[in-house]
Amino acid sequence: MYVHIPFCAARCDYCDFATWTDRAHLIDAYVDACVIDLHARRAEGYPSATSVFFGGGTPSLIPAHALARILDAIERTPDAEVTVECNPDSVDSEKFATYYAAGVNRVSLGVQSLAPHVLRDLGRTHNPANVAGAVEGAKSAGIDRVNVDVIYGTPGESIEDWERTLTGALALEVEHVSAYALTVEAGTPLGHRVAAGAAPGPDDDDQAEKYALADDLLTAAGLEWYEISNWARPGGACRHNNVYWDQGEYLAIGCAAHGHTGGRRWWNVRTPDRYIERITAKSSPEAGSELLLGAERAAEAFTLALRTRGGAVPLPGSEHVLAELAADGLCAFVGERVVLTRSGRLLANEVTARALAAHEHASGGGCPAEQ
């Protein structure tokens, strides 16, 4: 189950997610709509959730009792993993205690950086000094499973800045770290500045160096990579993440949320206003869908699995290209599966594209050079 909470106190300069800073007056109605939607889903006979993920936006911005009310409407297995994304500035011991009592057993903190000047460049408003308190508050409440999200490659971030962020995160003794390369999205404040030449974009070589440093430090600390951007201690991998990479099924609750059921990928209307209107009118909140079958589904399965530590089974016709890529040090064959090396993880899109092009060519879909 994915539940989207679209409210934020401030919008980060790099963010192109479906979030709003001017809709706090809709929170109560939005929570009501989510609960109504969940009751309707339950009536449709969906099985109990093994994983629930509150993403955003800033789920920790809404009152804790409101989030608990949504969670209470979700039928879950006894061992369900329940994650809430949190901003370090919008949580406290009381909020964590309410989360824990409601069934939350994992939190993900949006840290991004522990260097104040990097946070300013990203448009982040939280105080890095609050991160340690947030981790301690979660653990004191009984929520032992803590992830920190960090971003590398912000122009102006030195390698020393990045190393301090990583060592600072590890000092918090969390069990999971998600590290993402900064990307510039069109339409965001950062995107406008880069397009206008007022700010530099991320440097590929700089990001590659910082990814390697993250992999070295996190691995040395006992966190293994299990997906290109995710490292965890043994048993600490995010169950919800793995549902995505395994093409598992998940329901979407809330505006702009995406779901996957019965081989059909679908998504809800983008704004909280429209979601509330649809639910209140007892009409479907879906905005669109697509059905992936046969070759398309197989290609997606390969693409997702290749991002993981377990790797992917090569698609028919791609073996020779993958052998060439293995000779170049970008992947390796482990039994019947192909797994990305560290260098391959940095070029995952290229490796995937070449493998898919070879497969399509072998299947009669055209020559690889045209893909």
Side-chain angles (χ1 to χ4, degrees), residues 3-365:
V3 183
H4 188 65
I5 306 297
F7 308 104
C8 282
R11 191 175 183 87
C12 302
D13 287 0
Y14 57 87
C15 177
D16 72 338
F17 296 153
T19 65
W20 285 267
T21 60
D22 60 349
R23 311 289 171 92
H25 61 285
L26 294 176
I27 288 177
D28 290 343
Y30 186 82
V31 171
D32 288 342
C34 287
V35 171
I36 293 170
D37 197 1
L38 282 162
H39 287 319
R41 297 294 181 179
R42 181 184 296 182
E44 292 172 4
Y46 283 106
S48 298
T50 59
S51 169
V52 180
F53 196 101
F54 287 88
T58 310
S60 58
L61 189 63
I62 70 172
H65 67 83
L67 187 141
R69 184 167 167 247
I70 297 173
L71 185 54
D72 285 344
I74 300 174
E75 285 194 2
R76 312 185 298 278
T77 60
D79 66 340
E81 175 191 272
V82 181
T83 304
V84 178
E85 287 187 335
C86 301
N87 183 308
D89 282 356
S90 61
V91 286
D92 54 32
S93 57
E94 183 177 350
K95 184 165 286 189
F96 281 129
T98 301
Y99 287 169
Y100 181 74
V104 175
N105 50 28
R106 186 176 183 274
V107 296
S108 180
L109 295 170
V111 174
Q112 316 318 350
S113 176
L114 292 177
H117 73 93
V118 175
L119 291 174
R120 285 195 299 272
D121 289 343
L122 290 172
R124 293 286 294 184
T125 60
H126 75 263
N127 183 347
N130 291 341
V131 174
V135 173
E136 177 57 31
K139 292 182 177 181
S140 295
I143 305 173
D144 296 324
R145 306 193 63 196
V146 179
N147 169 65
V148 296
D149 274 356
V150 288
I151 290 178
Y152 59 90
T154 302
E157 175 193 61
S158 68
I159 194 72
E160 292 78 17
D161 291 330
W162 176 234
E163 183 172 6
R164 281 193 292 270
T165 291
L166 290 168
T167 55
L170 288 170
L172 299 172
E173 297 184 347
V174 295
E175 70 166 17
H176 191 289
V177 173
S178 300
Y180 302 104
L182 177 66
T183 55
V184 178
E185 305 290 350
T188 64
L190 178 61
H192 289 313
R193 291 200 299 271
V194 172
D203 179 84
D204 290 344
D205 291 335
D206 174 70
Q207 291 191 332
E209 181 182 5
K210 288 172 179 172
Y211 183 89
L213 178 60
D215 197 37
D216 284 341
L217 292 179
L218 295 172
T219 300
L223 284 74
E224 290 187 336
W225 80 279
Y226 69 95
E227 189 276 334
I228 290 175
S229 300
N230 291 277
W231 289 258
R233 300 191 189 281
C238 176
R239 183 183 298 178
H240 204 83
N241 281 353
N242 283 329
V243 169
Y244 293 153
W245 310 129
D246 294 342
Q247 278 188 319
E249 295 200 338
Y250 46 96
L251 289 178
I253 300 296
C255 67
H258 285 233
H260 178 229
T261 52
R264 187 175 72 98
R265 296 198 176 279
W266 47 277
W267 48 94
N268 289 340
V269 291
R270 183 172 175 82
T271 69
D273 313 64
R274 292 182 63 200
Y275 178 75
I276 293 168
E277 290 171 1
R278 291 281 188 96
I279 297 298
T280 301
K282 298 183 179 180
S283 62
S284 170
E286 287 188 26
S289 66
E290 60 180 357
L291 187 63
L292 297 183
L293 299 172
E296 285 185 315
R297 186 166 177 82
E300 183 190 74
F302 174 82
T303 300
L304 294 173
L306 192 61
R307 295 183 61 88
T308 69
R309 189 178 186 86
V313 175
L315 293 167
S318 68
E319 296 87 352
H320 68 289
V321 166
L322 290 170
E324 293 173 359
L325 293 167
D328 291 337
L330 298 181
C331 60
F333 287 90
V334 180
E336 297 181 349
R337 305 179 78 85
V338 61
V339 179
L340 294 175
T341 62
R342 179 195 280 177
S343 297
R345 283 181 260 160
L346 291 168
L347 297 170
N349 290 342
E350 180 178 341
V351 173
T352 302
R354 289 183 59 183
L356 291 178
H359 166 65
E360 186 169 342
H361 177 63
S363 302

